[in-house]
mmCIF file of all heavy atoms in Angstrom:
data_model
loop_
_atom_site.group_PDB
_atom_site.id
_atom_site.type_symbol
_atom_site.label_atom_id
_atom_site.label_comp_id
_atom_site.label_asym_id
_atom_site.label_seq_id
_atom_site.Cartn_x
_atom_site.Cartn_y
_atom_site.Cartn_z
ATOM 1 N N MET A 1 96.389 129.181 16.465
ATOM 2 C CA MET A 1 95.222 130.050 16.272
ATOM 3 C C MET A 1 94.037 129.565 17.113
ATOM 4 O O MET A 1 93.398 130.352 17.783
ATOM 5 C CB MET A 1 94.852 130.040 14.779
ATOM 6 C CG MET A 1 93.888 131.159 14.393
ATOM 7 S SD MET A 1 94.621 132.795 14.616
ATOM 8 C CE MET A 1 93.210 133.819 14.312
ATOM 9 N N LYS A 2 93.769 128.264 17.069
ATOM 10 C CA LYS A 2 92.651 127.724 17.852
ATOM 11 C C LYS A 2 92.860 127.976 19.342
ATOM 12 O O LYS A 2 91.925 128.295 20.055
ATOM 13 C CB LYS A 2 92.541 126.215 17.607
ATOM 14 C CG LYS A 2 91.939 125.855 16.278
ATOM 15 C CD LYS A 2 90.428 125.881 16.346
ATOM 16 C CE LYS A 2 89.804 125.442 15.041
ATOM 17 N NZ LYS A 2 88.540 126.098 14.773
ATOM 18 N N ASN A 3 94.095 127.826 19.795
ATOM 19 C CA ASN A 3 94.405 128.002 21.212
ATOM 20 C C ASN A 3 94.069 129.422 21.666
ATOM 21 O O ASN A 3 93.489 129.624 22.730
ATOM 22 C CB ASN A 3 95.891 127.693 21.454
ATOM 23 C CG ASN A 3 96.180 127.505 22.931
ATOM 24 O OD1 ASN A 3 95.270 127.322 23.726
ATOM 25 N ND2 ASN A 3 97.455 127.568 23.291
ATOM 26 N N GLU A 4 94.436 130.408 20.867
ATOM 27 C CA GLU A 4 94.143 131.806 21.205
ATOM 28 C C GLU A 4 92.634 132.038 21.305
ATOM 29 O O GLU A 4 92.164 132.720 22.207
ATOM 30 C CB GLU A 4 94.749 132.743 20.155
ATOM 31 C CG GLU A 4 96.239 132.966 20.327
ATOM 32 C CD GLU A 4 96.807 133.865 19.241
ATOM 33 O OE1 GLU A 4 96.038 134.663 18.677
ATOM 34 O OE2 GLU A 4 98.011 133.754 18.972
ATOM 35 N N GLU A 5 91.895 131.463 20.358
ATOM 36 C CA GLU A 5 90.443 131.616 20.381
ATOM 37 C C GLU A 5 89.859 130.992 21.641
ATOM 38 O O GLU A 5 88.960 131.564 22.274
ATOM 39 C CB GLU A 5 89.832 130.971 19.137
ATOM 40 C CG GLU A 5 90.036 131.797 17.876
ATOM 41 C CD GLU A 5 89.519 131.079 16.631
ATOM 42 O OE1 GLU A 5 88.689 130.162 16.770
ATOM 43 O OE2 GLU A 5 89.953 131.447 15.528
ATOM 44 N N ALA A 6 90.377 129.838 22.014
ATOM 45 C CA ALA A 6 89.895 129.163 23.216
ATOM 46 C C ALA A 6 90.180 130.013 24.450
ATOM 47 O O ALA A 6 89.339 130.153 25.337
ATOM 48 C CB ALA A 6 90.551 127.796 23.357
ATOM 49 N N GLU A 7 91.365 130.607 24.495
ATOM 50 C CA GLU A 7 91.719 131.457 25.643
ATOM 51 C C GLU A 7 90.822 132.687 25.708
ATOM 52 O O GLU A 7 90.379 133.095 26.779
ATOM 53 C CB GLU A 7 93.198 131.875 25.556
ATOM 54 C CG GLU A 7 94.154 130.800 26.055
ATOM 55 C CD GLU A 7 95.605 131.196 25.884
ATOM 56 O OE1 GLU A 7 95.873 132.394 25.660
ATOM 57 O OE2 GLU A 7 96.468 130.306 25.961
ATOM 58 N N LYS A 8 90.556 133.273 24.553
ATOM 59 C CA LYS A 8 89.649 134.435 24.509
ATOM 60 C C LYS A 8 88.279 134.054 25.044
ATOM 61 O O LYS A 8 87.679 134.771 25.835
ATOM 62 C CB LYS A 8 89.506 134.922 23.057
ATOM 63 C CG LYS A 8 90.378 136.090 22.700
ATOM 64 C CD LYS A 8 90.017 136.594 21.314
ATOM 65 C CE LYS A 8 91.165 137.385 20.712
ATOM 66 N NZ LYS A 8 90.923 137.718 19.300
ATOM 67 N N TRP A 9 87.778 132.894 24.587
ATOM 68 C CA TRP A 9 86.453 132.440 25.011
ATOM 69 C C TRP A 9 86.430 132.207 26.511
ATOM 70 O O TRP A 9 85.492 132.608 27.193
ATOM 71 C CB TRP A 9 86.097 131.146 24.260
ATOM 72 C CG TRP A 9 84.712 130.675 24.549
ATOM 73 C CD1 TRP A 9 83.564 131.157 23.988
ATOM 74 C CD2 TRP A 9 84.322 129.676 25.483
ATOM 75 N NE1 TRP A 9 82.477 130.495 24.512
ATOM 76 C CE2 TRP A 9 82.903 129.582 25.432
ATOM 77 C CE3 TRP A 9 85.016 128.838 26.355
ATOM 78 C CZ2 TRP A 9 82.191 128.689 26.220
ATOM 79 C CZ3 TRP A 9 84.302 127.954 27.139
ATOM 80 C CH2 TRP A 9 82.913 127.876 27.071
ATOM 81 N N LEU A 10 87.509 131.598 27.041
ATOM 82 C CA LEU A 10 87.590 131.326 28.480
ATOM 83 C C LEU A 10 87.579 132.624 29.268
ATOM 84 O O LEU A 10 86.872 132.741 30.264
ATOM 85 C CB LEU A 10 88.864 130.532 28.809
ATOM 86 C CG LEU A 10 88.728 129.010 28.740
ATOM 87 C CD1 LEU A 10 90.086 128.367 28.927
ATOM 88 C CD2 LEU A 10 87.767 128.501 29.807
ATOM 89 N N SER A 11 88.370 133.600 28.833
ATOM 90 C CA SER A 11 88.419 134.863 29.578
ATOM 91 C C SER A 11 87.068 135.569 29.503
ATOM 92 O O SER A 11 86.639 136.199 30.454
ATOM 93 C CB SER A 11 89.531 135.768 29.048
ATOM 94 O OG SER A 11 89.222 136.234 27.750
ATOM 95 N N ARG A 12 86.392 135.423 28.373
ATOM 96 C CA ARG A 12 85.062 136.025 28.249
ATOM 97 C C ARG A 12 84.095 135.351 29.225
ATOM 98 O O ARG A 12 83.302 136.009 29.889
ATOM 99 C CB ARG A 12 84.554 135.858 26.807
ATOM 100 C CG ARG A 12 83.440 136.826 26.469
ATOM 101 C CD ARG A 12 83.026 136.709 25.016
ATOM 102 N NE ARG A 12 84.105 137.099 24.107
ATOM 103 C CZ ARG A 12 84.234 136.638 22.863
ATOM 104 N NH1 ARG A 12 83.371 135.773 22.387
ATOM 105 N NH2 ARG A 12 85.230 137.047 22.107
ATOM 106 N N GLN A 13 84.175 134.016 29.311
ATOM 107 C CA GLN A 13 83.323 133.283 30.248
ATOM 108 C C GLN A 13 83.603 133.717 31.681
ATOM 109 O O GLN A 13 82.691 133.946 32.457
ATOM 110 C CB GLN A 13 83.578 131.767 30.124
ATOM 111 C CG GLN A 13 82.966 131.144 28.890
ATOM 112 C CD GLN A 13 81.447 131.143 28.941
ATOM 113 O OE1 GLN A 13 80.794 131.931 28.272
ATOM 114 N NE2 GLN A 13 80.896 130.270 29.737
ATOM 115 N N LYS A 14 84.888 133.840 32.022
ATOM 116 C CA LYS A 14 85.264 134.237 33.380
ATOM 117 C C LYS A 14 84.734 135.628 33.691
ATOM 118 O O LYS A 14 84.223 135.884 34.779
ATOM 119 C CB LYS A 14 86.795 134.221 33.539
ATOM 120 C CG LYS A 14 87.354 132.851 33.811
ATOM 121 C CD LYS A 14 88.848 132.918 34.034
ATOM 122 C CE LYS A 14 89.473 131.529 34.081
ATOM 123 N NZ LYS A 14 90.928 131.589 34.008
ATOM 124 N N ARG A 15 84.870 136.513 32.712
ATOM 125 C CA ARG A 15 84.387 137.886 32.918
ATOM 126 C C ARG A 15 82.880 137.879 33.135
ATOM 127 O O ARG A 15 82.364 138.567 33.996
ATOM 128 C CB ARG A 15 84.744 138.745 31.696
ATOM 129 C CG ARG A 15 84.618 140.237 31.979
ATOM 130 C CD ARG A 15 84.991 141.064 30.764
ATOM 131 N NE ARG A 15 86.355 140.796 30.327
ATOM 132 C CZ ARG A 15 86.734 140.797 29.042
ATOM 133 N NH1 ARG A 15 85.858 141.036 28.090
ATOM 134 N NH2 ARG A 15 87.980 140.556 28.721
ATOM 135 N N ARG A 16 82.173 137.059 32.343
ATOM 136 C CA ARG A 16 80.718 136.982 32.468
ATOM 137 C C ARG A 16 80.336 136.446 33.849
ATOM 138 O O ARG A 16 79.435 136.957 34.494
ATOM 139 C CB ARG A 16 80.159 136.065 31.370
ATOM 140 C CG ARG A 16 78.650 136.140 31.255
ATOM 141 C CD ARG A 16 78.155 135.333 30.069
ATOM 142 N NE ARG A 16 78.584 135.903 28.794
ATOM 143 C CZ ARG A 16 78.786 135.188 27.695
ATOM 144 N NH1 ARG A 16 78.637 133.891 27.712
ATOM 145 N NH2 ARG A 16 79.164 135.782 26.581
ATOM 146 N N GLU A 17 81.049 135.419 34.308
ATOM 147 C CA GLU A 17 80.759 134.857 35.628
ATOM 148 C C GLU A 17 81.044 135.873 36.725
ATOM 149 O O GLU A 17 80.300 135.980 37.698
ATOM 150 C CB GLU A 17 81.586 133.583 35.850
ATOM 151 C CG GLU A 17 81.011 132.381 35.111
ATOM 152 C CD GLU A 17 81.938 131.174 35.141
ATOM 153 O OE1 GLU A 17 82.792 131.115 36.048
ATOM 154 O OE2 GLU A 17 81.811 130.314 34.263
ATOM 155 N N ALA A 18 82.139 136.623 36.576
ATOM 156 C CA ALA A 18 82.491 137.635 37.575
ATOM 157 C C ALA A 18 81.402 138.708 37.636
ATOM 158 O O ALA A 18 80.992 139.124 38.720
ATOM 159 C CB ALA A 18 83.842 138.257 37.250
ATOM 160 N N LEU A 19 80.929 139.146 36.473
ATOM 161 C CA LEU A 19 79.856 140.142 36.429
ATOM 162 C C LEU A 19 78.598 139.604 37.084
ATOM 163 O O LEU A 19 77.934 140.301 37.845
ATOM 164 C CB LEU A 19 79.550 140.511 34.974
ATOM 165 C CG LEU A 19 80.386 141.623 34.356
ATOM 166 C CD1 LEU A 19 80.083 141.743 32.867
ATOM 167 C CD2 LEU A 19 80.134 142.953 35.033
ATOM 168 N N LYS A 20 78.292 138.334 36.787
ATOM 169 C CA LYS A 20 77.093 137.716 37.346
ATOM 170 C C LYS A 20 77.171 137.681 38.862
ATOM 171 O O LYS A 20 76.221 138.040 39.554
ATOM 172 C CB LYS A 20 76.954 136.303 36.778
ATOM 173 C CG LYS A 20 75.609 135.666 37.051
ATOM 174 C CD LYS A 20 75.546 134.301 36.376
ATOM 175 C CE LYS A 20 74.394 133.481 36.908
ATOM 176 N NZ LYS A 20 74.481 132.087 36.470
ATOM 177 N N SER A 21 78.320 137.258 39.400
ATOM 178 C CA SER A 21 78.446 137.171 40.858
ATOM 179 C C SER A 21 78.428 138.567 41.479
ATOM 180 O O SER A 21 77.895 138.755 42.567
ATOM 181 C CB SER A 21 79.710 136.408 41.254
ATOM 182 O OG SER A 21 80.869 137.133 40.891
ATOM 183 N N ALA A 22 79.005 139.547 40.778
ATOM 184 C CA ALA A 22 78.983 140.920 41.293
ATOM 185 C C ALA A 22 77.538 141.427 41.347
ATOM 186 O O ALA A 22 77.137 142.051 42.325
ATOM 187 C CB ALA A 22 79.831 141.835 40.409
ATOM 188 N N LYS A 23 76.768 141.123 40.308
ATOM 189 C CA LYS A 23 75.360 141.536 40.293
ATOM 190 C C LYS A 23 74.610 140.878 41.445
ATOM 191 O O LYS A 23 73.799 141.515 42.109
ATOM 192 C CB LYS A 23 74.710 141.144 38.964
ATOM 193 C CG LYS A 23 74.897 142.162 37.856
ATOM 194 C CD LYS A 23 74.117 141.740 36.623
ATOM 195 C CE LYS A 23 74.557 142.539 35.396
ATOM 196 N NZ LYS A 23 74.038 141.952 34.159
ATOM 197 N N GLU A 24 74.883 139.590 41.678
ATOM 198 C CA GLU A 24 74.207 138.878 42.768
ATOM 199 C C GLU A 24 74.562 139.505 44.113
ATOM 200 O O GLU A 24 73.714 139.642 44.990
ATOM 201 C CB GLU A 24 74.570 137.395 42.732
ATOM 202 C CG GLU A 24 73.865 136.653 41.603
ATOM 203 C CD GLU A 24 74.393 135.251 41.396
ATOM 204 O OE1 GLU A 24 75.285 134.820 42.154
ATOM 205 O OE2 GLU A 24 73.919 134.575 40.467
ATOM 206 N N ASP A 25 75.842 139.899 44.275
ATOM 207 C CA ASP A 25 76.271 140.552 45.521
ATOM 208 C C ASP A 25 75.516 141.857 45.726
ATOM 209 O O ASP A 25 75.059 142.165 46.823
ATOM 210 C CB ASP A 25 77.779 140.827 45.498
ATOM 211 C CG ASP A 25 78.597 139.559 45.681
ATOM 212 O OD1 ASP A 25 77.995 138.519 45.998
ATOM 213 O OD2 ASP A 25 79.827 139.619 45.507
ATOM 214 N N ILE A 26 75.393 142.638 44.643
ATOM 215 C CA ILE A 26 74.713 143.929 44.734
ATOM 216 C C ILE A 26 73.245 143.717 45.100
ATOM 217 O O ILE A 26 72.703 144.410 45.971
ATOM 218 C CB ILE A 26 74.848 144.704 43.400
ATOM 219 C CG1 ILE A 26 76.295 145.192 43.231
ATOM 220 C CG2 ILE A 26 73.881 145.880 43.356
ATOM 221 C CD1 ILE A 26 76.611 145.683 41.837
ATOM 222 N N VAL A 27 72.615 142.733 44.462
ATOM 223 C CA VAL A 27 71.203 142.441 44.756
ATOM 224 C C VAL A 27 71.046 142.034 46.218
ATOM 225 O O VAL A 27 70.136 142.503 46.916
ATOM 226 C CB VAL A 27 70.675 141.342 43.810
ATOM 227 C CG1 VAL A 27 69.335 140.809 44.292
ATOM 228 C CG2 VAL A 27 70.546 141.879 42.391
ATOM 229 N N ALA A 28 71.957 141.183 46.700
ATOM 230 C CA ALA A 28 71.886 140.736 48.096
ATOM 231 C C ALA A 28 72.042 141.918 49.044
ATOM 232 O O ALA A 28 71.314 142.028 50.034
ATOM 233 C CB ALA A 28 72.974 139.695 48.367
ATOM 234 N N MET A 29 72.991 142.817 48.736
ATOM 235 C CA MET A 29 73.199 143.986 49.590
ATOM 236 C C MET A 29 71.970 144.889 49.596
ATOM 237 O O MET A 29 71.549 145.385 50.644
ATOM 238 C CB MET A 29 74.410 144.792 49.127
ATOM 239 C CG MET A 29 75.697 144.374 49.798
ATOM 240 S SD MET A 29 77.066 145.468 49.360
ATOM 241 C CE MET A 29 76.493 147.025 50.035
ATOM 242 N N LEU A 30 71.392 145.106 48.422
ATOM 243 C CA LEU A 30 70.193 145.950 48.333
ATOM 244 C C LEU A 30 69.042 145.348 49.125
ATOM 245 O O LEU A 30 68.313 146.071 49.811
ATOM 246 C CB LEU A 30 69.789 146.141 46.869
ATOM 247 C CG LEU A 30 70.650 147.103 46.054
ATOM 248 C CD1 LEU A 30 70.202 147.094 44.600
ATOM 249 C CD2 LEU A 30 70.582 148.512 46.615
ATOM 250 N N MET A 31 68.891 144.019 49.038
ATOM 251 C CA MET A 31 67.828 143.366 49.798
ATOM 252 C C MET A 31 68.058 143.546 51.292
ATOM 253 O O MET A 31 67.124 143.829 52.046
ATOM 254 C CB MET A 31 67.777 141.866 49.450
ATOM 255 C CG MET A 31 67.093 141.588 48.120
ATOM 256 S SD MET A 31 67.258 139.870 47.617
ATOM 257 C CE MET A 31 66.322 139.055 48.913
ATOM 258 N N LEU A 32 69.316 143.398 51.717
ATOM 259 C CA LEU A 32 69.643 143.555 53.133
ATOM 260 C C LEU A 32 69.305 144.972 53.598
ATOM 261 O O LEU A 32 68.682 145.166 54.645
ATOM 262 C CB LEU A 32 71.139 143.287 53.327
ATOM 263 C CG LEU A 32 71.507 142.586 54.621
ATOM 264 C CD1 LEU A 32 72.069 141.212 54.297
ATOM 265 C CD2 LEU A 32 72.513 143.400 55.391
ATOM 266 N N TRP A 33 69.742 145.974 52.811
ATOM 267 C CA TRP A 33 69.448 147.366 53.161
ATOM 268 C C TRP A 33 67.945 147.602 53.197
ATOM 269 O O TRP A 33 67.435 148.303 54.073
ATOM 270 C CB TRP A 33 70.109 148.319 52.162
ATOM 271 C CG TRP A 33 71.532 148.586 52.519
ATOM 272 C CD1 TRP A 33 72.633 148.147 51.843
ATOM 273 C CD2 TRP A 33 72.025 149.344 53.630
ATOM 274 N NE1 TRP A 33 73.763 148.579 52.484
ATOM 275 C CE2 TRP A 33 73.436 149.315 53.570
ATOM 276 C CE3 TRP A 33 71.406 150.032 54.676
ATOM 277 C CZ2 TRP A 33 74.233 149.953 54.516
ATOM 278 C CZ3 TRP A 33 72.199 150.664 55.618
ATOM 279 C CH2 TRP A 33 73.594 150.627 55.528
ATOM 280 N N GLY A 34 67.238 147.014 52.220
ATOM 281 C CA GLY A 34 65.785 147.171 52.182
ATOM 282 C C GLY A 34 65.136 146.629 53.443
ATOM 283 O O GLY A 34 64.257 147.264 54.017
ATOM 284 N N VAL A 35 65.600 145.465 53.889
ATOM 285 C CA VAL A 35 65.056 144.869 55.109
ATOM 286 C C VAL A 35 65.348 145.768 56.309
ATOM 287 O O VAL A 35 64.456 146.042 57.123
ATOM 288 C CB VAL A 35 65.640 143.454 55.323
ATOM 289 C CG1 VAL A 35 65.322 142.935 56.718
ATOM 290 C CG2 VAL A 35 65.084 142.503 54.263
ATOM 291 N N LEU A 36 66.582 146.247 56.419
ATOM 292 C CA LEU A 36 66.950 147.112 57.545
ATOM 293 C C LEU A 36 66.112 148.385 57.567
ATOM 294 O O LEU A 36 65.590 148.776 58.614
ATOM 295 C CB LEU A 36 68.436 147.485 57.462
ATOM 296 C CG LEU A 36 69.424 146.414 57.928
ATOM 297 C CD1 LEU A 36 70.851 146.847 57.599
ATOM 298 C CD2 LEU A 36 69.291 146.185 59.423
ATOM 299 N N ILE A 37 65.978 149.018 56.400
ATOM 300 C CA ILE A 37 65.218 150.267 56.321
ATOM 301 C C ILE A 37 63.756 150.009 56.666
ATOM 302 O O ILE A 37 63.122 150.796 57.375
ATOM 303 C CB ILE A 37 65.378 150.895 54.919
ATOM 304 C CG1 ILE A 37 66.801 151.457 54.773
ATOM 305 C CG2 ILE A 37 64.336 151.980 54.690
ATOM 306 C CD1 ILE A 37 67.180 151.790 53.353
ATOM 307 N N THR A 38 63.218 148.883 56.183
ATOM 308 C CA THR A 38 61.823 148.533 56.487
ATOM 309 C C THR A 38 61.629 148.360 57.986
ATOM 310 O O THR A 38 60.659 148.870 58.556
ATOM 311 C CB THR A 38 61.427 147.243 55.746
ATOM 312 O OG1 THR A 38 61.660 147.432 54.340
ATOM 313 C CG2 THR A 38 59.978 146.901 55.978
ATOM 314 N N ILE A 39 62.560 147.655 58.634
ATOM 315 C CA ILE A 39 62.452 147.437 60.079
ATOM 316 C C ILE A 39 62.491 148.777 60.819
ATOM 317 O O ILE A 39 61.673 149.038 61.705
ATOM 318 C CB ILE A 39 63.582 146.506 60.571
ATOM 319 C CG1 ILE A 39 63.318 145.078 60.070
ATOM 320 C CG2 ILE A 39 63.698 146.533 62.093
ATOM 321 C CD1 ILE A 39 64.496 144.148 60.258
ATOM 322 N N MET A 40 63.445 149.645 60.426
ATOM 323 C CA MET A 40 63.549 150.953 61.085
ATOM 324 C C MET A 40 62.280 151.766 60.879
ATOM 325 O O MET A 40 61.784 152.413 61.801
ATOM 326 C CB MET A 40 64.762 151.718 60.552
ATOM 327 C CG MET A 40 66.083 151.186 61.089
ATOM 328 S SD MET A 40 67.504 151.864 60.215
ATOM 329 C CE MET A 40 67.396 153.584 60.694
ATOM 330 N N PHE A 41 61.740 151.722 59.647
ATOM 331 C CA PHE A 41 60.528 152.465 59.339
ATOM 332 C C PHE A 41 59.351 151.951 60.168
ATOM 333 O O PHE A 41 58.585 152.737 60.735
ATOM 334 C CB PHE A 41 60.229 152.347 57.835
ATOM 335 C CG PHE A 41 58.960 153.036 57.419
ATOM 336 C CD1 PHE A 41 58.898 154.419 57.385
ATOM 337 C CD2 PHE A 41 57.840 152.301 57.072
ATOM 338 C CE1 PHE A 41 57.723 155.061 57.005
ATOM 339 C CE2 PHE A 41 56.665 152.925 56.692
ATOM 340 C CZ PHE A 41 56.614 154.312 56.660
ATOM 341 N N LEU A 42 59.232 150.619 60.266
ATOM 342 C CA LEU A 42 58.136 150.035 61.038
ATOM 343 C C LEU A 42 58.263 150.387 62.520
ATOM 344 O O LEU A 42 57.258 150.672 63.176
ATOM 345 C CB LEU A 42 58.108 148.515 60.851
ATOM 346 C CG LEU A 42 57.582 148.042 59.493
ATOM 347 C CD1 LEU A 42 57.758 146.543 59.364
ATOM 348 C CD2 LEU A 42 56.117 148.428 59.308
ATOM 349 N N GLN A 43 59.488 150.387 63.031
ATOM 350 C CA GLN A 43 59.693 150.781 64.426
ATOM 351 C C GLN A 43 59.245 152.218 64.639
ATOM 352 O O GLN A 43 58.567 152.537 65.612
ATOM 353 C CB GLN A 43 61.174 150.669 64.798
ATOM 354 C CG GLN A 43 61.562 149.318 65.330
ATOM 355 C CD GLN A 43 62.990 149.332 65.827
ATOM 356 O OE1 GLN A 43 63.838 150.031 65.298
ATOM 357 N NE2 GLN A 43 63.254 148.543 66.841
ATOM 358 N N TYR A 44 59.606 153.092 63.697
ATOM 359 C CA TYR A 44 59.240 154.499 63.783
ATOM 360 C C TYR A 44 57.720 154.651 63.778
ATOM 361 O O TYR A 44 57.146 155.373 64.605
ATOM 362 C CB TYR A 44 59.873 155.250 62.612
ATOM 363 C CG TYR A 44 59.441 156.692 62.496
ATOM 364 C CD1 TYR A 44 59.950 157.655 63.360
ATOM 365 C CD2 TYR A 44 58.530 157.081 61.516
ATOM 366 C CE1 TYR A 44 59.553 158.978 63.263
ATOM 367 C CE2 TYR A 44 58.129 158.399 61.407
ATOM 368 C CZ TYR A 44 58.640 159.343 62.289
ATOM 369 O OH TYR A 44 58.239 160.635 62.185
ATOM 370 N N VAL A 45 57.063 153.949 62.849
ATOM 371 C CA VAL A 45 55.604 154.022 62.754
ATOM 372 C C VAL A 45 54.971 153.492 64.037
ATOM 373 O O VAL A 45 54.013 154.077 64.562
ATOM 374 C CB VAL A 45 55.111 153.230 61.518
ATOM 375 C CG1 VAL A 45 53.596 153.049 61.555
ATOM 376 C CG2 VAL A 45 55.526 153.943 60.238
ATOM 377 N N TRP A 46 55.512 152.387 64.552
ATOM 378 C CA TRP A 46 54.983 151.786 65.777
ATOM 379 C C TRP A 46 55.086 152.766 66.945
ATOM 380 O O TRP A 46 54.137 152.977 67.686
ATOM 381 C CB TRP A 46 55.739 150.491 66.070
ATOM 382 C CG TRP A 46 55.290 149.779 67.303
ATOM 383 C CD1 TRP A 46 55.997 149.655 68.457
ATOM 384 C CD2 TRP A 46 54.049 149.095 67.513
ATOM 385 N NE1 TRP A 46 55.274 148.937 69.375
ATOM 386 C CE2 TRP A 46 54.068 148.580 68.819
ATOM 387 C CE3 TRP A 46 52.922 148.892 66.722
ATOM 388 C CZ2 TRP A 46 52.996 147.859 69.355
ATOM 389 C CZ3 TRP A 46 51.862 148.167 67.241
ATOM 390 C CH2 TRP A 46 51.914 147.668 68.537
ATOM 391 N N GLU A 47 56.246 153.422 67.092
ATOM 392 C CA GLU A 47 56.448 154.403 68.170
ATOM 393 C C GLU A 47 55.460 155.565 68.010
ATOM 394 O O GLU A 47 54.848 156.002 68.985
ATOM 395 C CB GLU A 47 57.882 154.948 68.137
ATOM 396 C CG GLU A 47 58.938 153.940 68.560
ATOM 397 C CD GLU A 47 58.857 153.596 70.036
ATOM 398 O OE1 GLU A 47 58.610 154.517 70.835
ATOM 399 O OE2 GLU A 47 59.013 152.409 70.378
ATOM 400 N N TRP A 48 55.321 156.046 66.760
ATOM 401 C CA TRP A 48 54.429 157.175 66.491
ATOM 402 C C TRP A 48 52.980 156.757 66.797
ATOM 403 O O TRP A 48 52.219 157.542 67.385
ATOM 404 C CB TRP A 48 54.588 157.591 65.031
ATOM 405 C CG TRP A 48 53.565 158.567 64.569
ATOM 406 C CD1 TRP A 48 53.564 159.913 64.790
ATOM 407 C CD2 TRP A 48 52.387 158.277 63.810
ATOM 408 N NE1 TRP A 48 52.450 160.470 64.204
ATOM 409 C CE2 TRP A 48 51.718 159.498 63.608
ATOM 410 C CE3 TRP A 48 51.837 157.105 63.288
ATOM 411 C CZ2 TRP A 48 50.522 159.574 62.881
ATOM 412 C CZ3 TRP A 48 50.641 157.176 62.591
ATOM 413 C CH2 TRP A 48 49.995 158.404 62.399
ATOM 414 N N TRP A 49 52.597 155.566 66.398
ATOM 415 C CA TRP A 49 51.221 155.108 66.575
ATOM 416 C C TRP A 49 50.899 154.919 68.057
ATOM 417 O O TRP A 49 49.806 155.261 68.499
ATOM 418 C CB TRP A 49 51.062 153.761 65.826
ATOM 419 C CG TRP A 49 49.658 153.268 65.779
ATOM 420 C CD1 TRP A 49 48.597 153.850 65.160
ATOM 421 C CD2 TRP A 49 49.154 152.072 66.389
ATOM 422 N NE1 TRP A 49 47.467 153.096 65.330
ATOM 423 C CE2 TRP A 49 47.766 152.008 66.073
ATOM 424 C CE3 TRP A 49 49.742 151.061 67.163
ATOM 425 C CZ2 TRP A 49 46.974 150.953 66.529
ATOM 426 C CZ3 TRP A 49 48.939 150.010 67.588
ATOM 427 C CH2 TRP A 49 47.576 149.964 67.275
ATOM 428 N N ARG A 50 51.865 154.426 68.832
ATOM 429 C CA ARG A 50 51.634 154.208 70.259
ATOM 430 C C ARG A 50 51.686 155.528 71.025
ATOM 431 O O ARG A 50 50.941 155.712 71.977
ATOM 432 C CB ARG A 50 52.724 153.289 70.829
ATOM 433 C CG ARG A 50 52.401 151.845 70.665
ATOM 434 C CD ARG A 50 53.317 150.944 71.465
ATOM 435 N NE ARG A 50 54.288 151.656 72.270
ATOM 436 C CZ ARG A 50 55.401 151.102 72.744
ATOM 437 N NH1 ARG A 50 55.684 149.857 72.479
ATOM 438 N NH2 ARG A 50 56.226 151.798 73.486
ATOM 439 N N GLY A 51 52.606 156.411 70.590
ATOM 440 C CA GLY A 51 52.907 157.591 71.376
ATOM 441 C C GLY A 51 51.967 158.735 71.116
ATOM 442 O O GLY A 51 51.869 159.662 71.883
#
């Protein structure tokens, strides 16, 4: 009985860690996209302001 409980707890921990890393990946991707979009937007504004 104790062994089963330990296995359940371990799988729960693994699932939690997997979710955490997935969230971190999503945050990193969003930050990357945000930076890219900001750069493109600034380039557009710069061209418009000069032109």
Side-chain angles (χ1 to χ4, degrees):
M1 194 64 188
K2 284 277 183 212
N3 195 16
E4 281 178 25
E5 285 175 20
E7 279 177 16
K8 262 188 201 172
W9 185 80
L10 271 173
S11 69
R12 199 176 295 153
Q13 285 292 105
K14 278 183 189 168
R15 195 179 301 145
R16 191 174 293 151
E17 283 171 22
L19 273 173
K20 192 177 165 191
S21 67
K23 274 185 194 167
E24 285 170 2
D25 286 351
I26 289 167
V27 167
M29 269 186 63
L30 285 175
M31 282 171 65
L32 216 114
W33 276 110
V35 168
L36 282 172
I37 288 166
T38 304
I39 289 168
M40 285 169 66
F41 178 72
L42 286 173
Q43 271 187 327
Y44 173 76
V45 168
W46 180 250
E47 289 291 320
W48 170 80
W49 187 64
R50 274 192 2 199

